[in-house]
Amino acid sequence: MTALEQLIEALRRLPGVGQKSAQRMAYHLLQHDRPGADALAHALQQATHSVRHCERCYTFSESPLCPICQDSRRDARLLCVVETPADQAAMERTASYHGYYFVLQGRISPLDGVGTREIGVEPLLARAADGQVEEVILATSFTAEGEATAHVLAEALRVRGLRSTRLARGVPVGSELEYVDLGTIAHALVDRRAT
């Protein structure tokens, strides 16, 4: 394989990037932005060598504990369980959650051979039973796998006498009802609350 072909193949590993997109990116970097290509290569190498998982919540971190786990001002009574570091970042961008996190590194998917061991359920249960956590917020996705993961976690927490809640789902803010999918409307009706 030539160096160009290796670059294209490497770019194809990114989610949502097919052959043509990878080729377009490679050509752009090499033809129009060689300094950008060098910066990208350097940043990737730095990240693969210095970024690891936080020892407490398993998000990405350059130190043994991530900045969130080191922040003593956060509410230790709340533990939000998310699937990925990207989900954690999305929760943080809302600026409405001030507890701690546990990042599962995936979701249960029997067809892909991913079970409770692979996503770290035992460390989660140990963390939730640390004596400080009063509520575990299950913020997994609303896909079939995310729902199954939330169900398994809720049952495991309930058996241990730990309280869990699930993110609400419903009609997005600013949307018009006629354009919302039927499943979302149905869940919004089931999860409705008093005004």
Side-chain angles (χ1 to χ4, degrees):
M1 249 191 200
T2 67
L4 178 58
E5 290 169 335
Q6 289 177 18
L7 174 58
I8 292 169
E9 282 305 307
L11 290 168
R12 282 188 59 196
R13 291 174 171 244
L14 296 170
V17 176
Q19 176 70 28
K20 287 186 179 186
S21 294
Q23 198 171 30
R24 196 168 31 255
M25 287 181 218
Y27 289 159
H28 171 79
L29 289 169
L30 295 175
Q31 186 173 5
H32 301 292
D33 194 7
R34 290 224 176 205
D38 287 336
L40 178 62
H42 178 73
L44 280 169
Q45 192 160 40
Q46 283 292 108
T48 57
H49 285 82
S50 62
V51 176
R52 57 179 170 250
H53 291 286
C54 172
E55 294 174 358
R56 189 165 183 227
C57 74
Y58 299 97
T59 194
F60 292 135
S61 178
E62 291 187 40
S63 58
L65 290 180
C66 71
I68 291 173
C69 286
Q70 292 180 43
D71 187 353
S72 61
R73 295 170 297 174
R74 297 191 76 103
D75 189 346
R77 297 171 300 167
L78 300 174
L79 183 64
C80 182
V81 179
V82 294
E83 293 174 8
T84 66
D87 294 338
Q88 178 192 16
M91 290 289 292
E92 280 297 289
R93 282 193 305 273
T94 70
S96 60
Y97 176 72
H98 305 290
Y100 290 104
Y101 292 93
F102 189 93
V103 181
L104 292 172
Q105 301 302 323
R107 57 184 169 234
I108 294 171
S109 179
L111 294 175
D112 296 321
V114 179
T116 57
R117 176 174 282 133
E118 288 77 19
I119 64 170
V121 171
E122 287 306 315
L124 165 63
L125 295 174
R127 173 88 185 278
D130 69 0
Q132 292 183 307
V133 175
E134 295 176 11
E135 178 184 357
V136 178
I137 302 165
L138 301 175
T140 58
S141 62
F142 290 104
T143 62
E145 293 90 355
E147 291 284 1
T149 302
H151 176 74
V152 167
L153 295 177
E155 284 302 306
L157 291 162
R158 186 188 58 75
V159 166
R160 288 165 177 77
L162 300 167
R163 179 175 175 246
S164 69
T165 56
R166 181 84 167 108
L167 281 186
R169 56 189 153 196
V171 178
V173 173
S175 64
E176 295 183 36
L177 205 54
E178 68 179 292
Y179 299 113
V180 176
D181 68 276
L182 299 178
T184 300
I185 294 172
H187 283 295
L189 276 170
V190 171
D191 295 339
R192 69 189 182 277
R193 58 184 165 89
T195 58

